[in-house]
Amino acid sequence: MAMTTMRPCGDFRTSYRADQTIFATRVTFAFVVLGVVLLACAPLVLNNYYLSLMIQIGYLGIAALGLNILVGFSGQISIGHAVFFGFGGFASAFLAEHGVPVPIAIVLAGMWTTAVGLLFGIPAARVKGLYLAIATLAAQFILQDFFVRAEWFTGGTHGALAAPFEIFGYDMSGDQRYFYVVLVFVVVMYLFAANLMRTRDGRALIAVRDHYLSAEMMGVNLTKYRTMAFGISSFYAGIGGALYAHYIGFMSVEGLDILFSIQFLAMIIIGGLGSIMGSLLGTIFMVLLPEVTQALASALQGSAIDKALHLKDGITYMREMLIGAVIILFLIFEPDGLAHRWRQIKAYWKLFPFSY
């Protein structure tokens, strides 16, 4: 788990308040604010292609953070995260179609998805390990079948149209405008998660993950917190799915398969389990992976490697193979993810030339 910190000697924390700050130093806080300001300026200098990638990183990063709260912070597992992502998209499109303003519909869709997550989380909270994985896999197929059959809610196999995002009568559709919508949600949701881990409930989730028997002996209600982790994870997935639906303008059951759920798992494994920043780093990695693969295939077009591997025809399958290969390589060589590597790099420059 990417939870360890690398503080130099002499960095004393003499109170709980000092130890539980979101930002370790004022310099860190300044860099975060500067990063948000620079991101706010991105639509002024970047074209729609790069903005669309950043929007994709935004709504997938929110959903991935929810899964990391479940897997990385509470020590459970879910192989059905994609359907909760999809349920949020369908719920928001359904509410917007019935006259609910889109900003409110997105929040309500997250709450509806929370209810569905709790429905599956209550029985799943009493099992663990392989049995929990099978229970969440069942949720994947149950909700997929529901999406196909519930035409009144999802449009069935035809899908559902999602209204454009409007606030105070101002249309926010389009990459340059919608980027700010996603940016606001990303900042709010990530700050909420960071604050959650500082609370009593957040520490209880981590205690359940680290040693559930000790946590239970200390008075932590295992069923309550395991179920709560499913609810929070589903809420984040629902918000991410709703943002996706109103960005695309359409929501379909296509793509909400088990491979998509595995991609969410890959995001948090690559970024770092139990790391809020790692959720975003892993999402960036997974979003850019197919783009780099496509660029590499284009660069090798016509070469001997291209003729031997048929890169142009098999680019889709290569992407799936790369996802599996990357997960295996990270589990072997970087099990704590990119967040841990980033901490090591920062510690190196902070402590150089000393090792302590």
Side-chain angles (χ1 to χ4, degrees):
M1 301 293 177
M3 290 295 292
T4 57
T5 59
M6 298 180 181
R7 297 185 190 137
C9 292
D11 184 6
F12 300 112
R13 304 294 172 88
T14 58
S15 66
Y16 285 112
R17 181 178 180 182
D19 190 55
Q20 295 177 358
T21 55
I22 298 179
F23 306 104
T25 63
R26 292 182 179 180
V27 175
T28 303
F29 175 73
F31 271 107
V32 171
V33 173
L34 178 62
V36 174
V37 172
L38 291 177
L39 284 174
C41 298
L44 304 177
V45 295
L46 298 179
N47 59 32
N48 288 341
Y49 171 73
Y50 292 106
L51 288 177
S52 66
L53 288 178
M54 296 175 74
I55 291 172
Q56 188 177 354
I57 290 170
Y59 60 70
L60 290 178
I62 291 174
L65 178 57
L67 184 61
N68 211 345
I69 291 174
L70 177 66
V71 179
F73 285 101
S74 68
Q76 301 183 84
I77 186 67
S78 175
I79 314 180
H81 202 62
V83 290
F84 298 108
F85 179 88
F87 188 91
F90 283 122
S92 187
F94 176 82
L95 289 169
E97 183 183 0
H98 288 76
V100 179
V102 173
I104 299 176
I106 292 175
V107 178
L108 290 178
M111 294 179 179
W112 283 18
T113 312
T114 302
V116 176
L118 291 174
L119 182 64
F120 287 99
I122 290 173
R126 298 185 177 276
V127 294
K128 61 179 182 177
L130 179 62
Y131 301 100
L132 179 57
I134 297 301
T136 57
L137 184 62
Q140 169 77 36
F141 292 113
I142 290 171
L143 286 178
Q144 266 190 282
D145 186 68
F146 170 76
F147 293 154
V148 174
R149 297 177 184 275
E151 295 187 4
W152 59 272
F153 182 65
T154 65
T157 55
H158 300 290
L161 294 175
F165 192 99
E166 292 185 0
I167 183 167
F168 303 119
Y170 188 72
D171 186 7
M172 297 295 291
S173 59
D175 291 334
Q176 293 186 338
R177 296 175 182 174
Y178 200 75
F179 174 82
Y180 291 109
V181 175
V182 175
L183 179 62
V184 169
F185 273 94
V186 168
V187 171
V188 171
M189 300 298 283
Y190 271 75
L191 282 177
F192 177 81
N195 276 296
L196 173 65
M197 293 304 122
R198 301 164 61 212
T199 64
R200 178 185 178 90
D201 292 330
R203 295 194 296 272
L205 290 175
I206 296 173
V208 171
R209 178 201 68 192
D210 289 342
H211 203 292
Y212 70 94
L213 287 178
S214 299
E216 189 173 24
M217 291 177 65
M218 293 171 63
V220 175
N221 189 325
L222 298 184
T223 302
K224 170 188 172 182
Y225 284 103
R226 285 174 173 170
T227 306
M228 186 180 75
F230 267 95
I232 296 172
S233 173
S234 301
F235 178 76
Y236 273 75
I239 295 293
L243 290 172
Y244 164 77
H246 293 289
Y247 173 58
I248 301 297
F250 180 76
M251 194 69 199
S252 172
V253 69
E254 297 293 334
L256 302 176
D257 54 6
I258 191 171
L259 178 61
F260 195 22
S261 295
I262 293 175
Q263 288 178 15
F264 278 120
L265 282 172
M267 291 175 192
I268 62 174
I269 291 172
I270 292 170
L273 293 174
S275 170
I276 293 174
M277 180 183 68
S279 303
L280 193 57
L281 292 177
T283 305
I284 293 172
F285 186 95
M286 289 300 297
V287 170
L288 296 183
L289 180 63
E291 303 299 322
V292 174
T293 305
Q294 182 68 51
L296 182 62
S298 300
L300 295 174
Q301 187 175 5
S303 65
I305 299 177
D306 182 23
K307 294 177 181 178
L309 300 178
H310 303 286
L311 296 178
K312 184 177 180 181
D313 298 329
I315 190 69
T316 303
Y317 304 101
M318 282 183 57
R319 178 172 174 265
E320 297 176 4
M321 292 168 59
L322 280 174
I323 292 173
V326 165
I327 293 175
I328 293 173
L329 291 174
F330 266 87
L331 288 174
I332 295 174
F333 298 106
E334 196 60 81
D336 289 329
L338 295 173
H340 179 70
R341 180 57 57 185
W342 172 245
R343 290 191 183 94
Q344 287 185 320
I345 293 172
K346 287 199 304 181
Y348 173 82
W349 290 106
K350 186 180 293 185
L351 303 177
F352 183 83
F354 305 105
S355 60
Y356 55 86

